[in-house]
Amino acid sequence: MEIEDKFDVPAEYQVPDLGGLPGAAEVVGPKTYQLVALYFDTPDLRLAARGITLRRRRGGTDPGWHLKLPKAKGARQEIVHPLTRSAKIVPTELADLVLAYTRGAPLTPIAELDTRRAVTTVVNGAGVRLVEVADDRVKGTVLGEVPHVERWREVEAELIEGDEKLLKKVGKRLTRAGAVPADAASKLARLLGAAGKVSGQPRAEAEPGSAGEVVLSYLTAQAGALLAQDPRVRKAEPDAVHQMRVAARRLRSALKSFKTIVKGTENVQEELKWLGGVLGEARDLEVIRDRFASRLDTLDGSLIVGPVRTRLSSDLLDDEHEALDRIRDVLGGERYFALLDALDDLVATPVLTKAARGPADTLDVVAAKSWRRVTRAYDTARAMEDATEREHAMHDVRKAAKRARYTAEVIGMTRMAKLAEAVQEVLGTHMDGVVAQERLAAEAENARRAGEDTFTYGVLTGLERAGAERAHQEFPRVWEDTTEAVARLL
């Protein structure tokens, strides 16, 4: 993670004394470097429009290929790859991480930055670098038939090992000396902006305070969340598949619930359902692997017999890796790119209904309707005499509760969302226990065929059965408490 503050400064600016800061023992430098960076993007600057930079840089202390993905204001994730022989071909490992943005378009050089950098470092008593202040004199060139050249000076304060309070104190000293917070998030953004070359992603505008504004704001945020998880999923980062799947589900739920606000989204809904299914296998394996590991950690050692940890960890992990490979194949395909294009169109040019112009509080009706769907699903389940059919019907209750939760989130009904989540969670606990028992039975059979002791599988199955039964017994009370609370809200 790269956490830094950027400042615009005049040509005559003097970097102030940084001595005497809390926790700092010494100020080292300045030390001077010459940096030459070649930036890559698609011809229509799709990366720059998203605040992403991809460069090949020579000179300084960290030469190499650098991919920077925005995380939050002042913070970016930086992914580094060693310098390659070719200066014009982006390494496949980095090109793949931006496929969700390029969608097959070529990456070519679009700009070059030549920077003379003077670095001053604040260190603690152990010599650990806390904050680095880079004073940059930049010559930027936008490449093309007629190159566009800009020159400027800026200062960056980057947090290395200190805390953000120290970074703020450094920033205050810089501003007191005449620096002002930079308008652009990066050097490339500043250069392209000066050349009139890039703008942000198009977004539809709805009337302030309207139902349409609320729904579009939510859809835009979730579409952005889905896209932001794409590189993390490709790198198999923890919880990334889950977060991407949640974003897909939230988008689909909102489009279904608010079809009276945004219409014509049926195809997008189906494709989001497809994507959620693609992500589901790896996510389910991740959940159940972690679940079994936690169960085994709580058992007395005498109850763990045979290579059960191997079967329930490394074997499941192998299956998870295979599922992740299948996900990566899908994320590089035209169907996925078409879905991303459709989401871009949705937030840029949605088809809004007349109801979208109404006040935001009219959306409360949708939340009430969504909860009635939960109660109808439960009434249907309770009326079933067959236990297996009732079990499947309770899964529909859980799905309805999840949709009611997401619907309430859209319109800011936090209490309503938590109540729906309570129903969803207790049903989920029961269902997870049932699924875990099925998986344990399959793994026990594999162990039996291999001549292994299956005692521990029986112990784990008993724990899962007991947990599922507790959740089953608890549900009527949770349902009664929840329905009473919802009635008071609606």
Side-chain angles (χ1 to χ4, degrees), residues 168-191:
K168 288 182 180 179
K169 290 183 181 295
V170 170
K172 286 182 179 180
R173 291 203 183 181
L174 296 174
T175 54
R176 282 200 296 266
V180 296
D183 290 331
S186 67
K187 289 181 175 65
L188 179 64
R190 175 173 180 156
L191 175 61

Side-chain angles (χ1 to χ4, degrees), residues 452-469:
E452 299 166 7
D453 195 306
T454 60
F455 170 76
T456 304
Y457 296 94
V459 174
L460 292 174
T461 299
L463 291 173
E464 294 292 354
R465 181 175 293 129
E469 183 59 29

